[in-house]
């Protein structure tokens, strides 16, 4: 199993930035593709970004392209989500997810491992 723990959420004004981190433990981190998902208040969980296990391929939802950057440091067993130009509609609980795969899926049901989530609130 892989244990995932997110951190870095908080309250930020529109236009601001946050960097989320997700620390993994339990198995060989570099064998796992990783994704970030979010769940806005009253809505379904949605895909934000994902990164292949090598870090060579990244994927973003349209609303994240150009504003968010996913990266990973396999030496630190950590995946990051750098978020810039934040908008009130980015307000959500952000979850890190892991899957034992080469490429990174963009659908939540393809991930086996999940963190507990971290709250991001963007004020207008």
């Amino acid at each position: 199993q892989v244990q995932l723990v997110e951190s870095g959420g908080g309250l930020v004004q529109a236009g601001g930035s946050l960097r989320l981190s997700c620390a993994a433990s339990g198995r060989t981190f570099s064998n796992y593709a990783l994704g970030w998902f979010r769940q806005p208040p009253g809505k379904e969980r949605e895909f934000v970004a994902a990164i292949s296990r090598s870090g060579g391929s990244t994927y973003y939802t349209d609303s994240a392209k150009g504003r968010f950057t996913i990266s990973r440091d396999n030496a630190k067993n950590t995946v990051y989500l750098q978020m810039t130009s934040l908008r009130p509609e980015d307000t959500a609980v952000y979850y890190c997810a892991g899957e034992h795969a080469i490429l990174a899926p963009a659908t939540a049901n393809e991930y086996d491992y999940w963190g507990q989530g971290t709250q991001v609130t963007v004020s207008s």
Side-chain angles (χ1 to χ4, degrees):
Q1 273 198 338
V2 172
Q3 291 79 43
L4 302 170
V5 179
E6 303 95 335
S7 61
L11 174 64
V12 64
Q13 288 189 332
S17 299
L18 280 175
R19 188 177 81 156
L20 305 183
S21 300
C22 175
S25 61
R27 289 289 180 95
T28 305
F29 182 73
S30 58
N31 286 343
Y32 288 79
L34 298 157
W36 284 98
F37 291 76
R38 67 186 182 188
Q39 188 163 13
K43 296 185 178 181
E44 297 288 319
R45 191 171 299 191
E46 62 188 28
F47 171 74
V48 177
I51 189 166
S52 63
R53 69 180 189 185
S54 71
S57 297
T58 56
Y59 313 90
Y60 297 92
T61 191
D62 286 346
S63 65
K65 288 177 183 176
R67 299 190 301 128
F68 295 2
T69 303
I70 188 171
S71 62
R72 65 189 295 164
D73 185 338
N74 286 347
K76 294 183 178 180
N77 288 1
T78 303
V79 61
Y80 305 98
L81 185 68
Q82 178 68 50
M83 304 187 293
T84 63
S85 301
L86 283 162
R87 306 165 180 166
E89 53 265 39
D90 294 317
T91 294
V93 178
Y94 283 71
Y95 296 91
C96 172
E99 173 63 16
H100 191 270
I102 296 173
L103 299 179
T107 52
N109 61 10
E110 295 189 70
Y111 286 86
D112 289 332
Y113 303 102
W114 291 85
Q116 83 289 349
T118 186
Q119 176 71 46
V120 171
T121 302
V122 184
S123 64
S124 57

